[in-house]
Amino acid sequence: MLLPIFLLAGGILLMIQPRTKRWQARLLAHFNGNEQKVKQRANTFFLLGFAFIMAGLALLYRVTT
């Protein structure tokens, strides 16, 4: 019962993280100011977070039924 909650919380965190100024500043420095790569990485994190949320909801549904 703990795994679905962990997946939901992790998914939300992964979706919110690329929106923070600290995260964007660190990646801009890492990619030498290439904003396209930063945006691509943010979209990847968003999709990964969404997948975590979907997996958490599926497991929660499976546990409750």
Side-chain angles (χ1 to χ4, degrees), residues 16-35:
I16 292 174
Q17 184 179 1
R19 307 264 188 267
T20 62
K21 288 182 182 179
R22 179 178 181 231
W23 189 89
Q24 288 180 354
R26 292 179 77 188
L27 276 186
L28 272 174
H30 178 71
F31 290 126
N32 297 324
N34 189 346
E35 290 189 19

Side-chain angles (χ1 to χ4, degrees), residues 1-2 12 16 20 24-25 27 34 40 42 47 52 56 60-61:
M1 185 64 186
L2 191 59
I12 291 170
I16 292 174
T20 62
Q24 288 180 354
L27 276 186
N34 189 346
Q40 184 179 15
L47 289 175
F52 271 46
L60 195 60
Y61 177 76

Side-chain angles (χ1 to χ4, degrees):
M1 185 64 186
L2 191 59
L3 183 61
I5 296 169
F6 174 74
L7 286 173
L8 289 172
I12 291 170
L13 180 67
L14 281 173
M15 291 173 83
I16 292 174
Q17 184 179 1
R19 307 264 188 267
T20 62
K21 288 182 182 179
R22 179 178 181 231
W23 189 89
Q24 288 180 354
R26 292 179 77 188
L27 276 186
L28 272 174
H30 178 71
F31 290 126
N32 297 324
N34 189 346
E35 290 189 19
Q36 183 180 7
K37 285 192 176 188
V38 172
K39 187 176 280 190
Q40 184 179 15
R41 182 70 56 97
N43 288 339
T44 301
F45 269 74
F46 186 84
L47 289 175
L48 183 63
F50 186 73
F52 271 46
I53 288 175
M54 289 292 110
L57 289 175
L59 283 173
L60 195 60
Y61 177 76
R62 181 77 173 155
V63 167
T64 57
T65 59

